[in-house]
Amino acid sequence: MHMAAKGKVVGIISNLVVVEATDAVAQNEICFIKVDDEQLMAEVIKVIGKSVYVQVFESTRGMKIGNDVEFAGHMLEVTLGPGILSKNYDGLQNDLDKMEGVFLKRGDYTFPLDHDKEWDFKPLAKPGDTVQAGSWLGEVDENFQPHKIMVPFVFEGTYTVKSVTEAGKYKIADTMAILVNSKGEEIPVTMMQKWPVKKAITAYKEKPRPFKLLETGVRTIDTINPIVEGGTGFIPGPFGTGKTVLQHAISKQAEADIVVIAACGERANEVVEIFTEFPELVDPHTGRKLTERTTIIANTSNMPVAAREASVYTAMTISEYYRSMGLRVLMMADSTSRWAQALREMSNRLEELPGPDAFPMDLPAIISNFYARAGYVYLNNGKPGSITFIGTVSPAGGNLKEPVTESTKKAARCFYALQQSRADGKRYPAINPIESYSKYLEYPEFEEYIAERINDQWLGKINEMKTLLQRGLEVSEQINILGDDGVSVDYHVRFWKSEVIDFVILQQDAFDSIDAVTSLERQEYMVNKVMDLCHMEYTFDSFAEVGPYFKRVINLLRQMNYSEFKSEKFYNYEKELKETLTEVTV
Amino acid sequence: MATKAFQKIFTKITQITKATVSLQADGVGYGELATIQGQLAQVVKIIGDEVTLQVFGGTEGIPTNAEVIFLGGAPTLKVSDQLAGRFFNAFGKPIDGGPEIDGTVVEIGGPSVNPVRRKQPSELIATGIAGIDLNNTLVSGQKIPFFADPDQPFNQVMANVALRAKADKIILGGMGLTNDDYLYFKQVFDNAGALDRIISFVNTTENPPVERLLVPDMALTAAEYFAVEKNESVLVLLTDMTLYADALSIVSNRMDQIPSKDSMPGSLYSDLAKIYEKAVQLPDGGSITIIAVTTLSGGDITHAIPDNTGYITEGQLFLRSDSDVGKVIVDPFRSLSRLKQLVIGKKTRKDHPQVMNAAVRLYADAANARTKMENGFDLSDYDERSLAFAKDYSSDILAIDVNIGTEEMLDQTWKLLGKHFKKEEVGIREEFVKEYWTEQE
């Protein structure tokens, strides 16, 4: 970049520090401020004349005017290489497990990878190959994933491979290949590389519209509003509506190769839950432990605010790294509102003119740029890779008209609105089926894919189901206005059909070992069952018979949901259901 | 905080507002404590040689030539076993007439626990109140506030919970407590013979509001001593956090910060999180559990203070009066304990989760029936039954005066279900219905 400058502290307002620099500095350059015997990391966020404004990633307690500052000559970077999976990092990619003591120590920065670990290397490229940034030179086995050793992303132009190290066990700092650039200079490549987190890694050929269903095992997502590999979605919801439970369910069950979780400004105990459960839980698709495919970036709400902002970028860069290996990555960020709040705190200290709700004016642009880093790509070698990104939003006061929700709505393609009244009625997951949407349902590419995967009537069925839910809602509003006997018995039947869909398809018990995860096959089976039932004609003498009857039907279908798929118990309930249906159908 | 010989004295005050004082000084550390004519103050901003101090007691009567002495560090508390049984003010000075404390000097508001060192909370805290134990079970290491209007008896409920909770230490952080409530706590703890395991840091309405900002950090620094050094289970009571947040907004206003929602500072979330996240289950067995009070205005939980709190804490306990039964109840819809899943059905009977959910769902049906009734419609037989159930459920289970064991709560709920509903109406797994259903006429 340039010669690293030095400087001295001239002003301190909480974690915003003003530094007078001796030389040129760059926007977003990293610097270290010396306070007693600690070096505190900070990032340049504004420069006016000789005054350089930096946000410090730590508490500034005890910092004094005149403290020495050393600039690093680069932006905030992460170190990429084998060994990232199963790690628990803070927002700046410090390995939390390497830190000593119960409490975090200010200025304690730890190396994110392991220098001494040996990896089983297999060469993929051969001498004479022409390569570019992101080209695969070889691979090592990382938790049963083929971890590619790539040409570093910072390399510009094309190179010729001079040599690739032969198969064997190597450490991350060993030279794995020697490349020759256009000037004939030899450049060694190791298993490690660095990348500035705020820049997107674009070492791929093209980014088509995503189309492949990403199975999550959550019925109200997969069936009603599916997300796709490389898709984007967001989950806004007031507190207590089940955001965290839903997010954990998705990260446990989704059919992804790699899961990156950014716990951004949320509760520490929620991360502890992941730390405790994931080593025990099994990936339903591969049968291996969930920790093996997961990396956690934990910058909980009590950790420094500026590092909170960095945490989502750190997580995204790690996701991009694994996507470049041709893997399916799922990234979850909980919550993007806390990230936006971190931006707001800084903007406020910088005394910038505020936008709506005191958020910075460029918030919508920052959010949409971030979501744009997800996606399905074809790499330069033609292989696909994807980052599916799902962010949660914590709207202030549960109001979906607030700036973070509105900005995110413009950027994300799936919208899973958690509804307070559904949560109050314990109708979990509390995703409102009518207001929520998945734009992917409108993609012809997806239509084609799902017709192949399930059948060509599937989307029609789902649309009909949504119509029935909508009708049920209308009827229930009419009953509220006109009274039970103010509408015809048919209306009651219509209402109860929508309740069957709600109770059997939409609602799902995330804490029940069987109901928690539903395979696509099972979802199809239950949807068919429920829709057949909705297509039947029913005869009742009075409206008073309708509710009790359908409650019995719902009860049997739910018992099916609670039973092992296609088990004897499952079929027994199904048989009982069949008998119940013959009572009143024509 | 005695004056030491080498301390520099400054007298050039350049600016005085209602809560802050600025002066020219050098060699000052950020967050450092100072005295201005004996009044305690803390550094909140340094630009070149201009230092701005937040004055805890307010700036009334401070002259421009006042003596400002910097004390060389952030606010501290002396911690030792001598804290037990004592009452302190927001600065950690005894207010019970007893002697000063001997102990290790610790900076308050210290660092966070490394998340990978935390243990998952797993110890159930029984309170005897079914609205809590059955529907919103508390777990040690949890942080949870009562959301209540100012006329609800939240301090009484909190005192009950504290005394029944079997904690090794109970630490009360009182912010803007009325003198009456302060004496109430003192008396209740005294009558229970529990005074020796209680430590109080109290800021009453008679003290300046900005002083309150120190209370949670004082209480939690003491809590960390007992939880980390002594491996004790510590319960911290913070009342009223709304008044704490109000003090934050006073200071940020005086510092010309741009307010965000409801005139609160933009950093409210982080400020509250720093306090609540001190709740922890430690690896060596100690724990800090925080039960707080956030008073609401007219039940409005969308206000910035309860709203931000709700996103930080692990649930909330919502108190409201039920006029049908004439009792204060723990509202099952708006209350939530996020950590209950760690203990219910595991440390309690297997049917607990299903019974809890079924009863709340049926209670919701009763709410719908009530709407129908209020709109003047005929009620179905089911509506009538659910309304009758709601009444029994409210007075026998949800009311805050209930004091029974968890098994009894479950049996009692099964009884109510059997009294008012048919088996297929409750939607509980068949194996539990078989075991616990009691048919009644």
Side-chain angles (χ1 to χ4, degrees):
Chain A
M1 224 151 123
H2 55 87
M3 274 287 289
K6 291 187 186 305
K8 289 208 184 296
V9 171
V10 295
I12 311 157
I13 312 152
S14 192
N15 75 326
L16 174 71
V17 170
V18 191
V19 177
E20 225 166 72
T22 53
D23 269 301
V25 298
Q27 174 76 330
N28 294 109
E29 184 170 345
I30 291 298
C31 65
F32 292 88
I33 305 172
K34 196 166 184 298
V35 178
D36 300 325
D37 52 356
E38 295 163 341
Q39 300 279 348
L40 308 187
M41 196 178 185
E43 179 188 18
V44 176
I45 51 173
K46 180 166 118 176
V47 183
I48 297 178
K50 268 200 238 161
S51 301
V52 180
Y53 291 73
V54 303
Q55 59 172 345
V56 185
F57 295 120
E58 311 262 5
S59 153
T60 53
R61 194 182 259 189
M63 189 184 287
K64 290 180 176 166
I65 300 298
N67 279 163
D68 288 323
V69 182
E70 277 187 41
F71 288 84
H74 61 76
M75 303 207 287
L76 179 63
E77 292 174 336
V78 288
T79 305
L80 302 167
I84 290 175
L85 295 182
S86 312
K87 281 276 190 334
N88 304 314
Y89 295 127
D90 72 1
L92 306 173
Q93 210 203 5
N94 291 299
D95 186 343
L96 287 167
D97 290 287
K98 287 198 190 113
M99 296 183 177
E100 281 176 22
V102 171
F103 291 94
L104 294 169
K105 261 200 357 249
R106 186 168 75 162
D108 187 5
Y109 305 119
T110 53
F111 185 65
L113 303 175
D114 301 304
H115 281 299
D116 297 329
K117 189 167 169 148
E118 290 193 323
W119 299 92
D120 236 330
F121 177 81
K122 221 169 55 193
L124 293 175
K126 48 188 193 310
D129 284 357
T130 303
V131 293
Q132 65 192 95
S135 296
W136 301 349
L137 298 171
E139 71 179 33
V140 299
D141 175 65
E142 183 189 16
N143 293 356
F144 305 100
Q145 294 291 351
H147 184 117
K148 302 291 188 289
I149 305 303
M150 294 174 274
V151 176
F153 303 122
V154 292
F155 282 26
E156 287 167 14
T158 55
Y159 298 78
T160 311
V161 177
K162 181 173 179 233
S163 65
V164 180
T165 309
E166 62 189 61
K169 285 185 183 301
Y170 301 95
K171 295 177 184 171
I172 49 170
D174 293 340
T175 298
M176 305 315 295
I178 292 177
L179 308 181
V180 180
N181 67 10
S182 54
K183 292 182 210 147
E185 293 160 336
E186 291 189 1
I187 302 158
V189 172
T190 67
M191 291 193 208
M192 270 190 296
Q193 57 169 315
K194 290 189 172 192
W195 184 261
V197 296
K198 290 202 174 154
K199 282 191 175 167
I201 296 174
T202 53
Y204 50 77
K205 192 165 58 187
E206 61 167 316
K207 203 175 192 178
R209 287 175 21 135
F211 60 94
K212 262 176 142 170
L213 176 77
L214 179 81
E215 251 189 271
T216 66
V218 179
R219 294 190 289 264
T220 185
I221 295 180
D222 294 356
T223 294
I224 310 287
N225 287 308
I227 192 158
V228 293
E229 281 177 21
T232 51
F234 81 116
I235 311 173
F239 61 83
T241 49
K243 250 191 322 288
T244 308
V245 174
L246 180 61
Q247 179 168 252
H248 283 193
I250 296 171
S251 54
K252 282 176 199 166
Q253 296 159 201
E255 203 187 0
D257 301 315
I258 308 289
V259 178
V260 180
I261 300 174
C264 167
E266 287 289 314
R267 305 175 182 93
N269 275 339
E270 286 172 6
V271 192
V272 175
E273 194 180 319
I274 301 177
F275 292 155
T276 317
E277 287 186 354
F278 276 34
E280 308 295 324
L281 291 175
V282 167
D283 177 349
H285 307 281
T286 62
R288 286 194 293 270
K289 294 278 185 277
L290 280 178
T291 14
E292 292 178 7
R293 67 169 198 183
T294 311
T295 295
I296 298 161
I297 318 293
N299 215 94
T300 58
S301 59
N302 53 340
M303 290 161 80
V305 174
R308 190 195 294 168
E309 191 222 333
S311 69
V312 291
Y313 289 101
T314 299
M316 185 55 92
T317 308
I318 290 174
S319 302
E320 286 171 334
Y321 177 59
Y322 281 98
R323 174 173 66 184
S324 305
M325 299 175 200
L327 296 172
R328 295 170 301 176
V329 183
L330 170 68
M331 176 182 162
M332 314 282 296
D334 184 18
S335 121
T336 55
S337 295
R338 305 301 161 222
W339 161 44
Q341 283 179 340
L343 295 172
R344 174 168 73 184
E345 282 184 34
M346 217 13 100
S347 155
N348 198 284
R349 279 183 200 122
L350 285 170
E351 300 180 354
E352 291 176 349
L353 278 181
D357 285 3
F359 281 106
M361 280 308 287
D362 55 351
L363 182 73
I366 296 174
I367 290 178
S368 56
N369 278 342
F370 188 78
Y371 273 80
R373 287 174 73 169
Y376 189 89
V377 301
Y378 290 112
L379 304 170
N380 289 321
N381 61 10
K383 301 253 170 39
S386 65
I387 299 171
T388 311
F389 176 63
I390 300 177
T392 63
V393 171
S394 321
N399 167 21
L400 298 187
K401 294 261 177 282
E402 57 90 43
V404 184
T405 315
E406 289 211 310
S407 309
T408 310
K409 212 168 175 179
K410 287 172 201 151
R413 309 248 80 193
C414 293
F415 173 59
Y416 302 109
L418 295 174
Q419 194 186 356
Q420 185 73 59
S421 58
R422 280 187 73 85
D424 288 347
K426 308 284 170 203
R427 292 179 178 226
Y428 288 119
I431 297 175
N432 179 328
I434 291 164
E435 274 174 35
S436 304
Y437 57 76
S438 163
K439 291 278 180 206
Y440 300 114
L441 286 170
E442 298 160 15
Y443 286 22
E445 298 93 327
F446 178 75
E447 205 178 323
E448 214 173 286
Y449 176 82
I450 206 78
E452 185 112 330
R453 180 89 186 264
I454 305 176
N455 58 54
D456 55 4
Q457 270 123 58
W458 179 253
L459 283 189
K461 220 170 250 177
I462 299 313
N463 283 331
E464 190 191 346
M465 203 164 192
K466 285 184 175 173
T467 312
L468 289 178
L469 284 167
Q470 176 72 42
R471 284 224 195 117
L473 181 71
E474 286 160 12
V475 170
S476 86
E477 280 164 3
Q478 279 173 341
I479 294 177
N480 276 340
I481 299 166
L482 302 170
D484 278 333
D485 46 4
V487 299
S488 70
V489 173
D490 280 357
Y491 273 51
H492 284 271
V493 173
R494 195 180 286 176
F495 168 70
W496 277 99
K497 280 177 180 172
S498 75
E499 286 288 274
V500 173
I501 298 172
D502 192 332
F503 273 91
V504 180
I505 305 293
L506 303 185
Q507 290 177 44
Q508 192 170 355
D509 188 344
F511 297 100
D512 184 90
S513 55
I514 293 169
D515 197 30
V517 44
T518 312
S519 67
L520 202 60
E521 187 197 358
R522 184 173 181 154
Q523 293 190 34
E524 186 195 352
Y525 191 92
M526 291 310 284
V527 164
N528 287 338
K529 190 108 273 182
V530 166
M531 289 311 284
D532 286 349
L533 195 150
C534 288
H535 288 147
M536 291 179 188
E537 298 281 336
Y538 298 83
T539 45
F540 292 100
D541 292 332
S542 104
F543 72 82
E545 293 169 4
V546 184
Y549 174 76
F550 276 103
K551 273 185 192 159
R552 274 163 54 208
V553 170
I554 288 171
N555 183 40
L556 288 168
L557 283 160
R558 278 171 76 101
Q559 300 298 344
M560 282 173 78
N561 277 347
Y562 282 131
S563 312
E564 203 78 61
F565 188 40
K566 296 190 170 169
S567 64
E568 202 189 322
K569 220 166 129 194
F570 181 86
Y571 285 126
N572 282 343
Y573 285 121
E574 191 175 26
K575 208 173 127 224
E576 204 181 321
L577 175 71
K578 211 168 174 184
E579 286 156 13
T580 310
L581 288 173
T582 53
E583 288 172 22
V584 287
T585 49
V586 213
Chain B
M1 285 170 234
T3 323
K4 291 177 207 148
F6 57 83
Q7 281 166 339
K8 270 204 220 167
I9 299 175
F10 298 91
T11 51
K12 273 188 223 148
I13 290 182
T14 52
Q15 197 188 347
I16 305 176
T17 71
K18 275 188 188 168
T20 62
V21 160
S22 303
L23 71 151
Q24 282 177 346
D26 55 12
V28 176
Y30 190 78
E32 192 172 333
L33 217 52
T35 59
I36 305 178
Q37 282 204 327
Q39 281 254 44
L40 273 173
Q42 190 173 13
V43 176
V44 288
K45 186 173 174 180
I46 312 176
I47 297 290
D49 63 354
E50 191 183 63
V51 178
T52 304
L53 294 152
Q54 158 187 313
V55 188
F56 292 107
T59 54
E60 288 92 345
I62 292 181
T64 48
N65 63 350
E67 273 192 358
V68 182
I69 304 168
F70 288 93
L71 303 178
T76 55
L77 176 71
K78 277 187 187 164
V79 294
S80 74
D81 291 348
Q82 293 177 19
L83 287 167
R86 302 293 306 275
F87 287 80
F88 304 93
N89 67 8
F91 302 110
K93 297 279 153 214
I95 51 169
D96 51 8
E100 289 272 340
I101 301 292
D102 264 343
T104 320
V105 176
V106 181
E107 281 195 1
I108 65 165
S112 316
V113 172
N114 184 341
V116 300
R117 300 281 176 262
R118 285 172 178 261
K119 285 281 160 284
Q120 190 165 42
S122 61
E123 290 301 315
L124 182 147
I125 298 179
T127 70
I129 299 169
I132 297 176
D133 294 2
L134 182 67
N135 292 340
N136 303 291
T137 325
L138 302 184
V139 185
S140 66
Q142 184 168 16
K143 46 198 177 287
I144 192 164
F146 281 99
F147 279 0
D149 279 336
D151 60 336
Q152 302 292 349
F154 48 82
N155 282 337
Q156 285 83 327
V157 179
M158 200 161 76
N160 271 338
V161 169
L163 290 172
R164 290 179 197 162
K166 300 195 180 73
D168 295 324
K169 290 283 179 303
I170 300 169
I171 301 183
L172 173 70
M175 289 152 282
L177 272 188
T178 61
N179 199 47
D180 300 358
D181 280 345
Y182 163 53
L183 294 174
Y184 167 80
F185 274 112
K186 211 170 167 178
Q187 190 201 343
V188 171
F189 292 155
D190 205 5
N191 287 351
L195 217 44
D196 59 323
R197 55 189 180 103
I198 288 170
I199 303 154
S200 304
F201 295 88
V202 178
N203 155 277
T204 67
T205 42
E206 292 166 19
N207 307 123
V210 179
E211 280 182 22
R212 275 171 217 161
L213 295 178
L214 293 170
V215 169
D217 282 344
M218 284 287 172
L220 289 159
T221 303
E224 278 180 347
Y225 168 73
F226 289 104
V228 177
E229 304 292 327
K230 305 280 163 177
N231 297 333
E232 291 188 0
S233 69
V234 184
L235 179 63
V236 177
L237 311 176
L238 299 174
T239 174
D240 166 358
M241 288 300 284
T242 298
L243 297 177
Y244 172 82
D246 285 342
L248 282 177
S249 73
I250 294 173
V251 174
S252 91
N253 181 279
R254 299 283 186 259
M255 291 187 61
D256 297 327
Q257 284 176 4
I258 300 153
S260 60
K261 202 169 169 275
D262 297 315
S263 317
M264 285 292 143
S267 59
L268 180 65
Y269 178 84
S270 305
D271 295 335
L272 292 175
K274 251 190 341 231
I275 295 170
Y276 284 117
E277 280 293 337
K278 289 278 181 188
V280 62
Q281 179 69 54
L282 291 158
D284 292 331
S287 69
I288 298 175
T289 309
I290 300 179
I291 299 182
V293 168
T294 300
T295 49
L296 309 176
S297 142
D300 178 16
I301 56 163
T302 65
H303 184 280
I305 301 172
D307 186 52
N308 278 289
T309 304
Y311 280 118
I312 295 163
T313 54
E314 279 136 1
Q316 61 281 332
L317 300 166
F318 199 100
L319 297 183
R320 87 176 156 85
S321 322
D322 184 343
S323 50
D324 282 355
V325 293
K327 287 181 174 183
V328 175
I329 62 164
V330 181
D331 189 320
F333 300 145
R334 304 176 93 180
S335 303
L336 167 76
S337 163
R338 287 170 186 274
L339 300 190
K340 69 183 171 194
Q341 308 294 353
L342 300 173
V343 292
I344 61 170
K346 293 174 185 153
K347 303 265 161 137
T348 63
R349 221 164 64 188
K350 269 208 166 72
D351 55 324
H352 188 158
Q354 293 241 332
V355 172
M356 168 187 81
N357 283 332
V360 174
R361 206 163 44 229
L362 295 165
Y363 193 69
D365 286 348
N368 291 337
R370 180 167 299 112
T371 316
K372 262 164 90 179
M373 188 170 69
E374 281 160 2
N375 291 343
F377 296 124
D378 292 341
L379 296 182
S380 67
D381 162 59
Y382 180 81
D383 292 334
E384 300 278 7
R385 285 186 288 126
S386 63
L387 282 172
F389 163 76
K391 212 162 169 181
D392 282 351
Y393 183 61
S394 206
S395 73
D396 298 354
I397 298 288
L398 300 179
I400 54 164
D401 57 5
V402 173
N403 184 10
I404 50 177
T406 314
E407 293 248 327
E408 209 180 321
M409 293 167 193
L410 289 167
D411 293 341
Q412 186 71 22
T413 311
W414 276 109
K415 236 199 227 153
L416 294 181
L417 295 176
K419 184 173 164 195
H420 299 285
F421 297 104
K422 301 191 191 91
K423 278 180 194 172
E424 64 269 21
E425 285 171 334
V426 298
I428 297 178
R429 250 178 195 248
E430 215 161 78
E431 59 217 73
F432 295 133
V433 176
K434 269 192 196 128
E435 195 170 347
Y436 297 108
W437 188 262
T438 50
E439 207 67 61
Q440 287 167 353
E441 280 318 306

